Amino acid sequence: VLYTVANIAQFERRQISERVAANLESRASRGLYNGGTVQLGYKLIPEKLGYLEVDEESASMVRLAYKTFLETGGISATAKFLNTNGYRIKRETQGGNSAGRSGVFTVVNLDGILRNKAYIGVRRYKSANGNAKEAPACWPAILDEDLFNRVQQELAKKDACKRKPENE
């Protein structure tokens, strides 16, 4: 009897896990926010689960970061410009990261900001089989696609330069 009860419990645990995963994927495919740290430039809407709204104070820094990157041509130069001119990232975060942010722009966090499609209203997620997918997000875009695409082209050029063998 105990063996049968244990098998039923294990089966139910698997069923719950599959239902939760299917629900998360369904929500992501509809462009909803599923948790995790809310991206810089956005904030949660408490009464509307899964939706984000623009946090204009930090959204203006995101826009400036993209424009400065195109002007300076480098992530470290952009980070230096933003930090030198007093731009600071809010340390506190919304969502799943209890550790908070560093408060300053670094090469690592700025690289993540510059490559993030959430800023043009695209929700990226992985399907159950592990394939990367995209859906229109349920939050407004902070950037226009032209600016985003120009930055992606510059980043791709820099990535290509990093991959060149030294003897070329």
Side-chain angles (χ1 to χ4, degrees), residues 3-67:
Y3 184 73
T4 303
V5 171
N7 277 337
I8 291 171
Q10 185 178 13
F11 173 76
E12 184 60 28
R13 184 178 59 85
R14 227 179 299 136
Q15 287 285 94
I16 291 170
S17 175
E18 288 172 6
R19 282 190 219 118
V20 169
N23 186 42
L24 288 174
E25 184 175 346
S26 172
R27 288 175 52 82
S29 70
R30 295 189 323 254
L32 294 167
Y33 162 78
N34 273 340
T37 303
V38 175
Q39 298 299 321
L40 182 68
Y42 292 102
K43 58 186 174 183
L44 294 171
I45 304 173
E47 60 277 353
K48 210 169 176 190
L49 296 177
Y51 290 81
L52 303 175
E53 64 184 354
V54 175
D55 176 16
E56 197 51 52
E57 181 184 339
S58 56
S60 63
M61 284 190 287
V62 170
R63 290 184 201 102
L64 180 62
Y66 273 76
K67 291 173 184 169

